[in-house]
């Protein structure tokens, strides 16, 4: 069986630099055999990928791709405190926040962008408990934010 790093490479992805916090917190904290990852935005190269409300300015498919970027950033944050992706035993819990236009109810499909990446990288160990929550506003007018808890070796 291949390692999470190898599976990530097979997907044509690499772990980005850990996104710097926007306020007074750290990207990830390890305690015991868990890592708690702060909410991650769809940042690429220090820039927000897109802005707006899903179901208005942002198409749900675009938001799903942005959730995947959030997940990749979350993996980078987790890996940074456990010595790499192979230090992660499983993804335990994911919470996705979707800045939603009035009437938009497709939050679970948007957050699938993150969930599917975790399953692709970790297989069965990437399947997790999850919440997908619609909110009126998110930091920097981002359409999606993803946080996670991972069990580590």
């Amino acid at each position: 069986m291949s390692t999470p790093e190898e599976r990530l490479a097979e997907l044509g992805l690499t772990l980005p630099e850990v996104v710097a916090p926007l306020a007074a917190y750290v990207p990830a904290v390890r305690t015991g055999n868990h890592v708690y990852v702060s909410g991650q935005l769809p940042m690429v190269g220090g820039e927000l990928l897109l802005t707006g409300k899903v179901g208005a300015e942002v198409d749900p498919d675009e938001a799903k791709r942005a959730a995947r970027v959030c997940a990749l950033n979350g993996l980078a944050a987790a890996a940074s405190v456990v010595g790499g992706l192979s230090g992660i035993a499983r993804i335990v819990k994911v919470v996705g926040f979707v800045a939603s236009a009035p009437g938009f109810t497709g939050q679970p499909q948007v957050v699938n962008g993150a969930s599917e990446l975790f399953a692709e990288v970790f297989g069965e160990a990437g399947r997790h408990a999850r919440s997908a929550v619609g909110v009126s506003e998110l930091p920097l007018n981002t359409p999606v934010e993803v946080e996670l808890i991972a069990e580590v070796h």
Side-chain angles (χ1 to χ4, degrees):
M1 185 153 139
S2 57
T3 67
E5 289 88 353
E6 291 168 338
R7 288 190 290 278
L8 194 67
E10 289 168 8
L11 294 170
L13 300 172
T14 57
L15 283 183
E17 292 292 319
V18 176
V19 176
L22 299 175
Y25 61 90
V26 295
V29 172
R30 180 179 182 162
T31 182
N33 64 341
H34 288 93
V35 170
Y36 292 78
V37 177
S38 298
Q40 298 292 308
L41 305 183
M43 303 288 278
V44 176
E47 300 289 325
L48 193 59
L49 194 59
L50 68 165
T51 60
K53 303 275 189 298
V54 183
E57 303 89 2
V58 178
D59 178 79
D61 288 333
E62 289 178 303
K64 181 178 180 180
R65 287 189 292 276
R68 187 175 177 91
V69 172
C70 294
L72 187 62
N73 289 337
L75 290 178
S80 75
V81 297
V82 298
L85 282 181
S86 291
I88 299 171
R90 74 169 295 119
I91 305 300
V92 177
K93 173 79 187 235
V94 172
V95 180
F97 301 96
V98 180
S100 302
F104 180 74
T105 60
Q107 293 84 6
Q109 290 74 27
V110 170
V111 180
N112 277 349
S115 295
E116 291 167 2
L117 178 69
F118 296 137
E120 291 168 2
V121 173
F122 294 100
E124 188 61 28
R127 294 177 46 87
H128 50 269
R130 185 183 90 178
S131 298
V133 182
V135 298
S136 62
E137 300 289 338
L138 285 170
L140 304 179
N141 196 29
T142 185
V144 64
E145 179 175 353
V146 175
E147 66 179 47
L148 68 110
I149 301 169
E151 181 182 349
V152 298
H153 297 288

